Amino acid sequence: MRDQWEHAHTDYTLPAQRHSPASLADSEADWRDYLEHSTPNGWLIRNSAMTEALVSGKPLHLLHVTRGIDAIRASGQVHVSAGCLVGALYCSPLASQREGLRPHNLGAYLMATKPDTTPMIFEVTSDAPIPPKGIDYLHLGAIHLRTYLRYQSFLTPAENDQLEHAVLGGLRSTAVFLDVTLRNATGHATPAHEFIDQLSDAVAHVPFLGYLYFEVLSEYLMLHSTTPETKTYAHVGELNNLLYKRLAFAAVDGMDQLFDLARFNPRYHRLVQLISGIEPALGPGVADYVRRRLSHLFARTALHPSEDAASVTFQGTDLSTIQKAAPGLIGQMVFRAIRYMSRYRELYHCYEKAKALEAWDYWNSEGVPTPFNGILPKGEIGINPAYPRSSVRVWTARQDSQGRLHPDEEITAVLTPHLASWWAPPRQWETHKPADGSRVELSPVPRSSIPTRRSPMNGVPA
């Protein structure tokens, strides 16, 4: 269990250390070297202002925006949210300056686009410098799978059938493309425009691919952008979060109402148009970058690290075999399928609290009171509500004419290890039953094959 959580975290101040499947054309270390040293903003991966603040040992100031300030005052409690930070209070950094606290560009964006919320300042004083360990939700698949199998009895037999048939149907519908992706990951390149169109089609059947697609493009934009805006943020040690916000809202209608990356699936010509509209110089190279980077990340996040990527196939194999070879992928598919069940509102705390408890335990043992989104250190940072060795003070914030924040009213409230409610509209299920009518089973993964390694009351979900 602990190895899985270690596998899901990244410390960008250290060399890449994860175990990866064999036969990949590039290692994690190869990609890290390229991203850090061959992109305009790659130096921020290791040396962002947020990372420097974490390791400084000084008190951290973080911005959180909430619609539930009255509930916080009345209860004296601040609840946390699930999402990319598993079970932390979603925040962004504040930089201490003589004139006040300057919001990170992500925080400034949140305040500008959520005018019906109250900005709050959290001051976190830890007992020691904080390890800059970020959690990468793309690597949580094996944990999702283990949690589902542990609490599988919470679902009715019909719900289990529904879920298992949906997973198998999704795999069968995308098996050819998934094999193409692994071939690309092992160095057998396919045409980029065909790959993008196949990826777009596959997202409907394997929604996790939409998340992977979006995160690859976010990385591409933030690390390669050279606009004056991006350079201004880089000057103060920040990656430009506005780039991927613009991408998401331009690519998917209604994304501002429900941020659901399962709907993110631009085809080749639309992709080039979208990226060129954000920064023209980045349009021509985006498709090939997605083909290479997404293929590599898919192999690393989907497959068990003991596998040989050149030997795995998704075609003509049974679900039990795929589950052992690709527990990360199956876990991500199961997790997203459960989220859209009609009873998920009732089951949410059963599944998400189980993972949050494990995350809190891992962070406490590692000395992490403030985990961050470790896909990149882009400014999404949280507060661990169960950390016993830090103090937290809370204020509402007053913003001056220069955009800086100042503590206003100190709030007598404590962070509690309680997940705020989350709900998304149920989806229409496409049930794909085997031709012979047999029942499809998801079986527990043997320990030896486990990888080593929204609208909340008062939280902003990741």
Side-chain angles (χ1 to χ4, degrees):
M1 182 178 74
R2 179 178 172 78
D3 287 345
Q4 288 182 331
W5 286 101
E6 181 69 23
H7 186 81
H9 283 75
T10 307
D11 181 342
Y12 287 102
T13 66
L14 299 175
Q17 300 179 43
R18 286 190 186 97
H19 296 293
S20 298
S23 297
L24 297 184
D26 302 294
S27 68
E28 183 181 9
D30 293 332
W31 269 104
R32 177 87 67 83
D33 182 71
Y34 168 76
L35 295 175
E36 284 192 22
H37 301 109
S38 300
T39 65
N41 306 309
W43 62 276
L44 288 166
I45 293 175
R46 185 182 293 262
N47 298 303
S48 71
M50 184 180 73
T51 300
E52 292 176 357
L54 288 170
V55 302
S56 71
K58 298 178 181 178
L60 286 177
H61 293 95
L62 304 176
L63 167 68
H64 172 73
V65 297
T66 182
R67 292 185 176 89
I69 188 62
D70 292 336
I72 292 173
R73 286 194 179 104
S75 67
Q77 296 184 353
V78 181
H79 297 169
V80 300
S81 59
C84 66
L85 296 176
V86 184
L89 185 72
Y90 186 87
C91 301
S92 62
L94 291 166
S96 296
Q97 299 178 335
R98 184 171 55 185
E99 302 86 355
L101 297 168
R102 179 184 58 78
H104 187 281
N105 68 83
L106 174 60
Y109 169 87
L110 292 173
M111 288 191 296
T113 57
K114 299 180 183 296
D116 56 340
T117 60
T118 300
M120 302 180 70
I121 296 169
F122 286 76
E123 181 184 76
V124 181
T125 303
S126 187
D127 60 325
I130 300 168
K133 301 192 80 164
I135 185 165
D136 183 342
Y137 78 87
L138 299 176
H139 284 275
L140 291 177
I143 294 171
H144 293 320
L145 179 58
R146 175 168 52 78
T147 304
Y148 161 70
L149 293 171
R150 181 177 180 181
Y151 298 105
Q152 190 172 7
S153 65
F154 288 21
L155 300 180
T156 67
E159 287 169 336
N160 274 300
D161 279 348
Q162 186 183 49
L163 185 149
E164 292 162 0
H165 292 148
V167 170
L168 183 60
L171 289 170
R172 288 177 172 171
S173 297
T174 58
V176 172
F177 171 71
L178 298 180
D179 281 0
V180 167
T181 304
L182 291 183
R183 288 203 299 273
N184 275 277
T186 56
H188 303 283
T190 60
H193 66 282
E194 293 179 9
F195 181 88
I196 299 299
D197 284 347
Q198 291 171 338
L199 169 63
S200 175
D201 292 338
V203 170
H205 304 283
V206 180
F208 173 62
L209 293 172
Y211 290 75
L212 203 57
Y213 192 3
F214 177 77
E215 296 296 353
V216 166
L217 288 173
S218 298
E219 175 188 83
Y220 178 73
L221 288 169
M222 286 187 287
L223 295 182
H224 292 82
S225 174
T226 57
T227 64
E229 176 188 72
T230 297
K231 290 179 179 179
T232 296
Y233 294 139
H235 181 70
V236 293
E238 299 174 4
L239 289 167
N240 184 358
N241 288 251
L242 307 186
L243 297 167
Y244 66 80
K245 296 290 187 182
R246 293 169 186 147
L247 171 67
F249 298 139
V252 182
D253 291 338
M255 192 70 103
D256 56 332
Q257 301 300 314
L258 179 65
F259 201 87
D260 180 9
L261 294 175
R263 299 185 295 146
F264 185 87
N265 62 346
R267 298 179 70 79
Y268 170 74
H269 291 295
R270 179 59 174 154
L271 170 64
V272 175
Q273 180 186 52
L274 286 166
I275 300 301
S276 298
I278 294 170
E279 191 162 340
L282 299 183
V286 64
D288 190 62
Y289 184 89
V290 170
R291 180 191 61 78
R292 292 179 57 238
R293 183 64 168 149
L294 187 143
S295 296
H296 172 81
L297 286 179
F298 174 78
R300 279 184 39 220
T301 59
L303 301 183
H304 187 280
S306 67
E307 291 292 333
D308 184 337
S311 301
V312 174
T313 180
F314 291 89
Q315 298 182 63
T317 54
D318 60 86
L319 187 55
S320 176
T321 300
I322 296 176
Q323 182 181 322
K324 293 175 183 177
L329 176 62
I330 300 303
Q332 295 283 4
M333 293 179 71
V334 166
F335 168 61
R336 282 167 176 79
I338 290 176
R339 288 176 71 179
Y340 289 99
M341 292 182 119
S342 59
R343 280 205 313 128
Y344 182 64
R345 200 169 196 167
E346 303 164 41
L347 298 169
Y348 165 77
H349 284 283
C350 303
Y351 288 99
E352 299 311 312
K353 188 63 172 283
K355 286 177 281 193
L357 285 167
E358 292 183 2
W360 297 332
D361 177 62
Y362 174 82
W363 293 333
N364 289 352
S365 65
E366 292 293 305
V368 180
T370 50
F372 63 90
N373 184 346
I375 293 177
L376 276 181
K378 59 184 179 179
E380 292 182 310
I381 187 169
I383 304 176
N384 169 6
Y387 194 75
R389 302 186 299 278
S390 64
S391 62
V392 180
R393 296 180 68 185
V394 188
W395 297 267
T396 58
R398 171 177 52 84
Q399 189 171 23
D400 64 26
S401 60
Q402 302 301 312
R404 296 182 181 87
L405 296 180
H406 305 269
D408 191 11
E409 173 198 358
E410 184 160 9
I411 303 294
T412 304
V414 296
L415 269 77
T416 61
H418 179 91
L419 294 181
S421 297
W422 187 96
W423 181 76
R427 288 192 173 181
Q428 294 297 317
W429 282 77
E430 291 185 18
T431 303
H432 306 268
K433 294 188 177 181
D436 61 2
S438 61
R439 176 185 167 90
V440 181
E441 295 285 355
L442 284 175
S443 58
V445 180
R447 287 189 179 276
S448 60
S449 67
I450 293 175
T452 57
R453 48 161 179 127
R454 207 155 94 154
S455 61
M457 178 185 74
N458 54 9
V460 176

